[in-house]
Each structure stands twice: as C-alpha cells, then as structure tokens.
Amino acid sequence: MPLKTLFLNPPSFENFDGGASSRWPATREIESYWYPVWLAYPAGMLEGSRLLDAPPHHISAQETIEIAKGYEFLVLFTSTPGWTGDQKLAEAIKRANPSIRIAFVGPPVTTSPDRALNECEVMDFVCRREFDFSVVEYANGKPLDEILGISYRKDGKVVHNPDRPQVENLDAMPWVTDIYARDMDVTKYNVPFLLHPYVSLYSTRGCPAQCTFCLWPQTLSGHAWRKRSTDDVAAEMAHAKELFPHVKEFFFDDDTFNIQKARTIELCAKLKPLGLTWSCTSRVTTDRETLKAMREAGCRLLIVGFESGDPQILKNIKKGATVERARDFTRDCHDLGLTIHGDFILGLPGETKESIRNTINFAKSLDVETIQVSIAHAYPGTEFYDYARENGFIINNGAMVDDEGHQLAHIEYPGLPTEYVLEMVHRFYDEYYFRPKAAWRVVSKAIVNRDVPRLYQEAKSFLKLRSQRNKLVKQKKQQKANEPVNTVSAEV
C-alpha cells in the first residue's frame, strides 16, 4: 500500500480562493471557489488518499490539523499570497503528527524552491511545475534522489533533481470528476457568473500564448499545449452527467480551451448529443464558425480575458489580440446567443490615466453580461514580475493582499499612484453596473434562473467590499496629504 496521503488545498483568509486551480489567488469580492483540479489528478492515482479542499467546505485550520493526524503524507498546494499562513499550518500539522511527511506544490515553490525549503524546515521536499507523478512516486516508496522534478535538503544543502518532462498522455490520467464525487460537496462551489451548482474540469493543459502577467503557463502548466482526445473528454462528461444529475453547468477551466479550431469543432460534435449546458475560457481570436459549433453543442458562457481597451497596453503584455478583434468577437457572441464574462486588469505595464479611461469606455461599449476588474499583480516567475522589479515599480515590500486577503496594488508607475488605480477599480464597477441596462440584465437573469437569493447575497458582499475599497482609497489620499514635503535649501 502507498503512504496514506492527504492532498490539501489549505484554509486561509475567509472567502480566499487561493490555489490548486485559482489563477488569481485572493479573497473574492463575492464568495466564489474554483475546483482543485490539479490536486485531483494524483489523488485519483493513490489508493486510500483524500482530497481536502478546506476553503469552500469551511474547514478551519484546527480541523485540518486534526484530520491530518490520520495521514502519513501531506501534499499541500500553496500560493504566493497564502505562503506565510500555509507554512505555519504545515508546522502545526508536523507538531501534531511528527511522523508525517510533507511536500509543497504550486507556483511559489516552483519559482523559489531554495527559499521555500530554507524558510520551512518541516517540508521534506517541494515539487517544481507539474507534480502529479512526483508525489505519487514518493507515496509509493521511490527514494527522493530518484524522483524527477523535486527539490529537497540533503546534508544541509538544497538539492535540485533534474526537471520532470511534462505529462503528454492526458488520456491516461484519472477522471477528476470521480474524485469530486468521492471527496467533495459540489454544492459548496460558487462562481457568480456560472449556474449553481457547477463542476469544472480540464480538457487540455498548457497555453501557447505569451501574456507577460499570466501566472499559470509561466510557473505550472507551461506553454506547451497538450490535449486529451475528444473521445476521452466526451466520455468523462457523460460520466459526470450521471454522477451529478443536479449540476446545472459544466465548466472547461483550460487556459485556452478553444485555441485549436478543428479540435474544438470535433469535440463539440461529441458533446452535442449529451444535452449538457457547459461554459469555457476563450480568446478573442476564436472565429465565428467555431463559436457557432460551440453554441450548438450546449455552450452557454465564455470567460474572456480582454484585459485592456488600450492598444498599446495589449502590445506591452504580448496579448496577441487587438481591440478591433475583440469587438468583432464580442459581436459574434452576441449574435449567436453566447454570454460573455469579461476580465479586465488595471495597472498593467505602460498604464496611464488615459489608458484606464480607454479600458472603461471599451468595456462599456462591449456591453458583455458580467465583468471582473482586477488590480495588476506581478507574481514571481512571470515576465511582468521581472519587468516591475528591474524598474523599481514594486512597492509595499511586494505585499499583494491585505490582512483579509483582498488585493492590494503593489505596482506603482510614475504619475499613476496606487490609490488612483484602486479608485478606478471602484469607478469601473460603478460605471459599468449602475447603467440601467446592465443592472436590469443581472436582475432579470437571476429571476429567470431562480437565483434571486444568491444575487441578494452577492450584492451584499459586493457593496460591503465596495465600501471597504472606498475607505482604503480615502485613507491613502489622506496619508499622502499628511506626509511632510521635503525641501532642499542651498547656500548662496
């Protein structure tokens, strides 16, 4: 038997969606959680394992420590904002269960394995990048010095084993939906723009796009795009339909689900007979024919990273898309009846007050169903981070979140104060959602989908954070106003 293994997405800040598949770790404005897809793969390979997704199930740190007493091996998925808390939790687990072996996985230990191992003595090893087979091999008794893709301490020094090749045969991997059914309550997972309850999974890994800010391809999944066969995906979807008859929507949480036209159309032909409602990620480069095939196969919504409405910003971040193409794509989606959730980021390289205004106006002209506006975060391991560090744009010692896990602006450009960016996030939402057309659309959809109670809770959460953000902006402005002015005198 392998080591009895606990795969853990750890408890953290309240409403913190912090790892194991969250590409933008932070406390959400509205409580929402993505599935721990990455942890589900190795959990499906080890008999006697358990996947504990603490945040959505509201399992406390103390409860997690008690659960971990019954296991021999802990695999903890950490995030940059959650690193300090995750380290303390691991230390507490080790005190309660001294014989447990501990491995950390995730972006922070991929980009800084030396720092991770030197800061947290209770870790036996860390996995760099994809970790599926590394942790499974260890649980099955393989010595550390024979396991590819890991770093560990030996004789007081950190040893880095050679990199592990990326997983190529995705059809040989377990179906994550079986692990969801075994270990998780799918009704605990909520994303405001998806139907509830929903289930998410991957049909591919990796992303060939070169966006400078994007954490996942640069730290975990890589740029090499690998795909499951359409037969394997369709078979799991049919299986999931039987496992979760109460689920209203399935979500393909791939980095770039529909980047290859022929494969997307082939998959749609196999999903169509299943009669499922599903949604996915999408780039604006997707053409109308592909979108039409998706819609006819049951696709309801697309998450689209527009990021900015300023042409120069899109070039700066190597988005590989244009404002004009985004408009044509959005028009096609509207015509075909596809709903769009648009993602936007303020504070990307080259951002100015004018470019922020361009993005707000651009978003309103697109008039998509829902939006998310984020503050640009430069995660270690990304090209954006290197750019910000080399130019001295990182402030607040790089702190990305406050004491409650909410995003902080930690990048400041000349002439663009952080409090201005925060204020414009606030204004972006106000200008977008307080338009009568947009407000009515949200309310009417909630009525049709019988989600009025959920809309009420989400509105309360949103307005509460809106008030907190407004207060933070005022405090920052007052703080700067009270700062003494440096004067220089010179003798004549």
Side-chain angles (χ1 to χ4, degrees), residues 118 153-158:
N118 288 327
R153 286 180 299 269
K154 184 178 181 180
D155 300 329
K157 295 181 179 180
V158 174

Side-chain angles (χ1 to χ4, degrees), residues 3 32 51 71 96 110 134 197 207 214 360 441:
L3 293 176
S32 56
L51 198 169
Y71 289 85
T110 289
S134 298
C207 177
C214 193
I360 295 175
R441 185 167 55 220

Side-chain angles (χ1 to χ4, degrees), residues 352-366:
T352 63
K353 293 180 179 180
E354 181 182 4
S355 65
I356 289 176
R357 173 45 57 189
N358 289 342
T359 298
I360 295 175
N361 291 341
F362 172 67
K364 290 193 291 186
S365 71
L366 294 178

Side-chain angles (χ1 to χ4, degrees), residues 48 113 129 147 196 237 260 331 353 355 359 406 441 453 486:
R129 295 193 174 273
I147 301 174
H196 183 265
M237 294 295 283
Q260 189 180 79
R331 191 179 304 112
K353 293 180 179 180
S355 65
T359 298
H406 294 114
R441 185 167 55 220
N486 293 324

Side-chain angles (χ1 to χ4, degrees), residues 3-107:
L3 293 176
K4 190 177 181 184
T5 304
L6 179 65
F7 292 92
L8 177 64
N9 190 31
S12 187
F13 310 100
E14 185 180 356
N15 298 345
F16 186 80
D17 189 14
S21 282
S22 173
R23 294 176 178 80
W24 205 262
T27 297
R28 300 303 174 194
E29 294 163 326
I30 298 170
E31 186 175 17
S32 56
Y33 302 103
W34 294 106
Y35 280 77
V37 189
W38 282 99
L39 288 174
Y41 288 110
M45 299 182 206
L46 288 175
E47 186 178 348
S49 71
R50 177 182 176 183
L51 198 169
L52 178 61
D53 193 7
H57 294 85
H58 299 288
I59 296 172
S60 68
Q62 191 55 49
E63 289 172 309
T64 301
I65 294 166
E66 288 299 313
I67 291 169
K69 287 180 180 179
Y71 289 85
E72 299 169 296
F73 180 32
L74 171 68
V75 178
L76 187 152
F77 196 111
T78 189
S79 64
T80 299
W83 164 248
T84 301
D86 295 343
Q87 183 181 174
K88 291 178 180 177
L89 176 66
E91 292 166 351
I93 289 173
K94 188 72 173 180
R95 286 194 296 270
N97 182 2
S99 64
I100 196 169
R101 269 70 66 83
I102 299 175
F104 271 41
V105 300

Side-chain angles (χ1 to χ4, degrees), residues 165-184:
Q166 291 182 316
V167 178
E168 294 294 339
N169 185 6
L170 297 184
D171 282 10
M173 303 296 281
W175 285 351
V176 296
T177 47
D178 283 329
I179 303 306
Y180 300 166
R182 186 190 77 181
D183 291 345
M184 292 140 69

Side-chain angles (χ1 to χ4, degrees), residues 410-479:
H410 74 129
I411 305 292
E412 186 167 71
Y413 306 112
L416 195 71
T418 54
E419 64 270 20
Y420 181 83
V421 178
L422 285 167
E423 183 178 7
M424 295 311 291
V425 170
H426 176 86
R427 189 174 299 179
F428 200 145
Y429 276 122
D430 281 4
E431 288 191 28
Y432 196 88
Y433 279 121
F434 292 152
R435 296 174 299 146
K437 182 180 180 181
W440 169 244
R441 185 167 55 220
V442 172
V443 173
S444 61
K445 282 293 179 68
I447 294 171
V448 170
N449 293 324
R450 299 182 179 179
D451 276 349
V452 173
R454 184 167 71 138
L455 176 63
Y456 174 70
Q457 291 299 325
E458 290 171 355
K460 278 179 45 177
S461 298
F462 176 77
L463 291 173
K464 178 182 177 181
L465 184 60
R466 178 178 178 272
S467 175
Q468 292 173 341
R469 187 187 291 124
N470 195 31
K471 188 180 298 183
L472 179 62
V473 170
K474 289 180 179 178
Q475 288 174 348
K476 280 186 169 289
K477 286 183 175 180
Q478 187 62 45
Q479 181 181 344

Side-chain angles (χ1 to χ4, degrees), residues 5 19 33 45 88-89 114-115 124 130 149 156 187 192 197 206 214 225 241 271 300 320-321 333 339 353 375 383 431:
T5 304
Y33 302 103
M45 299 182 206
K88 291 178 180 177
L89 176 66
D114 292 89
R115 176 193 168 196
D124 291 274
E130 293 181 342
T187 65
C214 193
W225 190 68
K241 183 179 180 180
L271 293 179
R300 182 188 71 86
C333 288
T339 299
K353 293 180 179 180
I375 302 165
E383 186 177 337
E431 288 191 28

